[in-house]
Amino acid sequence: MKSRLKLLGLVAVPSLLAAAVPAAWAADSAQPHTTRAAVTGDVLTGLTQHATRTGAVAAGQRIAVAVSLAPRGGKALDTFVAQVSDPKSSSYGHYLTKQQFAARFGRTTAEVEQLKDYLRGQGLTVGTVHSGNLLIDASGTAAQVQKAFGTTLSAWKDTASGRAFYANDSAPTLPKALAPLVSDVAGLNNRVQLHHQAPSTVTPHNGPGGGYTPAQLKGGYNVSGTYTGSGQKIALLEFDGFQQSNISAYDSHYGLGSPAPAVQKVDGGSGALGDGQVEVELDIEVLNAIAPKANVTVFEGPNSDAGEVDTYQAIVDSGIPTTSISWGAAESQRTTSNINAVDAVFKAGAAQGLGFYAASGDDGSDDAGNGGTSVDYPASDPYVTGVGGTKLTVTSSNAWSKEVAWSGGGGGKSSVFKIPSWQTPVQKSAGGGYRQVPDVSAHANPSPGVSIYSQGSWTAVGGTSAAAPEWAAFAALYNQQAAAAGKANLGFANPALYAAKGTGFHDITSGSNGAYSATTGWDFTSGWGSYNAATLAAKLLG
C-alpha cells in the first residue's frame, strides 16, 4: 500500500487548459523543466532506508499507473459529505448518484480529454476513465512512464526480506497547465504490499474445528432472525482469491442457503491463490454467518500501488453500499500521497452513500511493530469505520454474556488525520487532536476465534479481519430494515454511530491493547464497543 502525490483543492485555470493541444504535449518532454510543475509528495522518503539500490528499472518493464484528479470546488465535497452523513442535517441520507457526483465534483470532459491527450502523447496507453471523472488508468514502459511524469525509477532490494521493488527517485512533474488537476499518480513504486489481518492460533469451541458458529455470533450480537440481508449487497476488498468449494462446504454445514459470491477482477485480478486465501474465505463466511442472504461481490485486485486505488474505485463504481476491508498497513509504511489518493476514493463513496468497514490491525497499539504507538490504514481514514477487536463470551443459549478488549486489537491516534468534527465529543488528551482509532469493535480474539472452512478443512481464525465483516454484515442487515421502513442506507456510518452516544453498543470496559486500556464510553481499545443489532438499528432508524 503505498505511494503517490498530492495537490488536492487546486482548481484548473480554463484559459491555460484551452491553450494546450496534443501536439504540444508530445513535445513537452524536450522543453526545459521550468515548463513543468511538481506533483509533490510521491517520494518514498524513509521507506528506502532499509534497502539497497540495485540499478535502474529496465526501460521496457511494463508499469501501470492510476492518475487521481482533484475534485472540483475545493472543500465543497467535504462540506457535502458532512451534511449528508449527519443525522441532525436536513440533507441526511440524500446521497448523490454516480451521475450527480460526476456533474457536481468530477473534472469536466474537456479537462479529462486534455490529460488523456497528454498521456497518449508520451506513449502511454490510456485505459479506464472511472465514474466520477476523478481517476484515469494508464500503462506503458518504464521509459514512457519516466518521460510522462518527469522522474526516474530505480530498482531496490529490501535488506530484511530480500524482496525486490522499484520506486521513483523524485516527485513526479507535469506540464504547468495540467499539474493543478492531478492529486496523485499511483504506481510509481511498489515498495509496500498490503497485508491481511488473520492470526490462526486457536482454542477449539463449538465449530467442527473450533471457533464460534453462526448461531453464536448472531446470538451474541442479538441479530434478529427477521433480517437476513435479503436484497442487500456487500463488497469485499481482496488481494487474493478463494475456492467456491470451501464456501459451499461452510454454507452447507450450517444450513445457510447463501447465494454464491460473485467475483469482479480488477486490473487482471489478484493472480494465483496465495497465503491470503484463508483471509478471503474468512471474510465471505463471516458475512454469510450473520447476513446469509446478502449478495456478496469479491473485488480481486493486484496487491500493488495502482491496484489498490483501482480496486477501491471499482467498488465505488459498482455502487455497492457496504464494503468490508481486511487488508492494511501502518500509516508510517505509506506515503502521504498514497493515503490522500485512497482517502479521495472513500470520500467520493461517502458522498454516494457507501460505507467502508476496515480492520484496525492485529498488533495492538504498535501497528508498525517498532516499539512505539501507531495505527493501521485505512482504518484510520476519517471516511472509514475502523473496527477493533474484542473477546466475546456467549451463554449456553448463545446470548451475550461478557466482552473484553482483545490485546491484539489495533487502536491509537492517527499521525496523518486531524480529529474529525463528529469525533470531537469523545476527544482524548492522548489523541493530541488527531483522529482516534477504532470507532467500534467486534469479536476477534483467536481463542476461540470464528469457525470457518478453508483450504479443504475446518479451522478457527481470529483477528480484526473477522471483526470487520461482522460489522459490514450488521450494516447490510440495517440497510434491509431501513429499506422496509422507507429510509436511506446507513452509508458512511461514523457520524450516526457517534451521535448514538453508546446506545445500542456493548460498552467494553476491561482489557488492553498495549499502550491503552478499555474504559467506560469510547476508548482506544474498542471504540464504542460491539453492537447489539436490535437496539442499535432501532436507535439509528429513530
Side-chain angles (χ1 to χ4, degrees):
M1 299 165 97
K2 319 16 319 215
S3 50
R4 289 87 164 168
L5 68 177
K6 71 181 191 187
L7 252 172
L8 289 172
L10 296 179
V11 181
V13 180
S15 60
L16 290 178
L17 291 173
V21 295
W25 297 141
D28 179 78
S29 60
Q31 296 182 19
H33 184 74
T34 54
T35 65
R36 301 173 70 89
V39 187
T40 58
D42 197 31
V43 185
L44 287 178
T45 304
L47 295 183
T48 56
Q49 290 180 348
H50 303 290
T52 303
R53 187 179 185 276
T54 58
V57 172
Q61 179 176 333
R62 299 292 300 182
I63 292 178
V65 296
V67 182
S68 298
L69 309 183
R72 281 186 293 155
K75 296 295 184 181
L77 178 55
D78 300 65
T79 300
F80 177 81
V81 171
Q83 293 171 340
V84 80
S85 305
D86 182 1
K88 298 178 182 178
S89 169
S90 59
S91 299
Y92 181 57
H94 295 289
Y95 309 121
L96 297 178
T97 65
K98 288 190 292 185
Q99 294 75 18
Q100 290 170 332
F101 179 86
R104 188 165 177 176
F105 298 111
R107 304 314 307 195
T108 67
T109 300
E111 290 168 334
V112 170
E113 289 302 318
Q114 294 288 353
L115 184 54
K116 289 168 62 179
D117 286 342
Y118 170 75
L119 296 173
R120 291 188 182 113
Q122 310 308 301
L124 298 181
T125 299
V126 176
T128 303
V129 177
H130 292 270
S131 69
N133 271 9
L134 292 179
L135 187 68
I136 301 174
D137 293 337
S139 62
T141 65
Q144 292 167 334
V145 168
Q146 291 175 128
K147 175 185 174 186
F149 299 108
T151 188
T152 56
L153 303 178
S154 292
W156 298 79
K157 178 176 286 189
D158 185 278
T159 53
S161 67
R163 178 177 173 268
F165 66 94
Y166 62 83
N168 48 307
D169 298 328
S170 60
T173 62
L174 287 167
K176 287 184 177 179
L178 290 180
L181 294 178
V182 176
S183 62
D184 179 77
V185 183
L188 298 181
N189 82 84
N190 65 346
R191 173 67 176 96
V192 181
Q193 290 188 312
L194 305 188
H195 56 268
H196 52 87
Q197 324 279 358
S200 56
T201 302
V202 301
T203 298
H205 206 266
N206 288 358
Y212 279 145
T213 66
Q216 290 171 315
L217 290 174
K218 290 192 292 185
Y221 290 137
N222 196 21
V223 174
S224 167
T226 303
Y227 299 103
T228 61
S230 177
Q232 301 305 307
K233 296 180 179 180
I234 307 175
L236 288 171
L237 178 285
E238 305 290 1
F239 297 108
D240 211 322
F242 67 96
Q243 291 178 297
Q244 180 57 43
S245 58
N246 292 322
I247 309 303
S248 298
Y250 178 87
D251 289 350
S252 176
H253 178 83
Y254 288 117
L256 301 177
S258 300
V263 175
Q264 182 168 331
K265 294 184 181 295
V266 181
D267 296 348
S270 57
L273 289 175
D275 61 6
Q277 177 183 346
V278 65
E279 172 60 56
V280 185
E281 293 173 352
L282 165 69
D283 291 344
I284 297 170
E285 291 171 11
V286 170
L287 292 177
N288 288 357
I290 299 174
K293 300 304 182 182
N295 293 293
V296 177
T297 300
V298 182
F299 288 78
E300 298 177 0
N303 195 344
S304 67
D305 194 53
E308 179 191 9
V309 178
D310 278 352
T311 305
Y312 280 122
Q313 184 63 56
I315 292 173
V316 173
D317 290 348
S318 75
I320 293 176
T322 305
T323 299
S324 180
I325 304 163
S326 295
W327 299 74
E331 288 179 334
S332 60
Q333 295 173 335
R334 295 173 169 263
T335 63
T336 299
S337 57
N338 161 237
I339 291 177
N340 287 341
V342 178
D343 172 71
V345 180
F346 290 141
K347 189 185 302 184
Q352 297 169 62
L354 312 186
F356 298 86
Y357 299 82
S360 68
D362 296 340
D363 296 295
S365 58
D366 181 16
D367 194 73
N370 58 11
T373 56
S374 52
V375 295
D376 202 85
Y377 186 86
S380 65
D381 193 286
Y383 297 101
V384 170
T385 301
V387 185
T390 68
K391 179 177 181 178
L392 169 68
T393 300
V394 298
T395 68
S396 59
S397 58
N398 296 335
W400 187 92
S401 173
K402 64 179 181 179
E403 206 163 3
V404 299
W406 174 47
S407 60
K413 69 173 183 177
S414 172
S415 61
V416 176
F417 300 102
K418 292 291 187 179
I419 189 167
S421 60
W422 43 261
Q423 197 173 46
T424 54
V426 297
Q427 183 171 353
K428 307 295 184 182
S429 59
Y434 284 82
R435 163 91 162 103
Q436 300 173 170
V437 183
D439 300 300
V440 295
S441 54
H443 179 61
N445 193 312
S447 178
V450 296
S451 169
I452 70 166
Y453 191 89
S454 179
Q455 298 171 309
S457 64
W458 287 100
T459 186
V461 175
T464 53
S465 282
E470 288 168 29
W471 265 92
F474 165 77
L477 299 177
Y478 172 86
N479 288 345
Q480 180 186 5
Q481 191 170 350
K487 297 196 174 185
N489 286 337
L490 185 55
F492 167 48
N494 288 359
L497 295 176
Y498 280 74
K501 298 180 180 179
T503 300
F505 289 90
H506 300 118
D507 188 11
I508 313 302
T509 59
S510 63
S512 168
N513 65 357
Y516 309 101
S517 296
T519 186
T520 301
W522 187 96
D523 58 61
F524 289 105
T525 66
S526 61
W528 284 108
S530 64
Y531 61 84
N532 178 316
T535 56
L536 181 57
K539 175 66 175 179
L540 296 175
L541 284 169

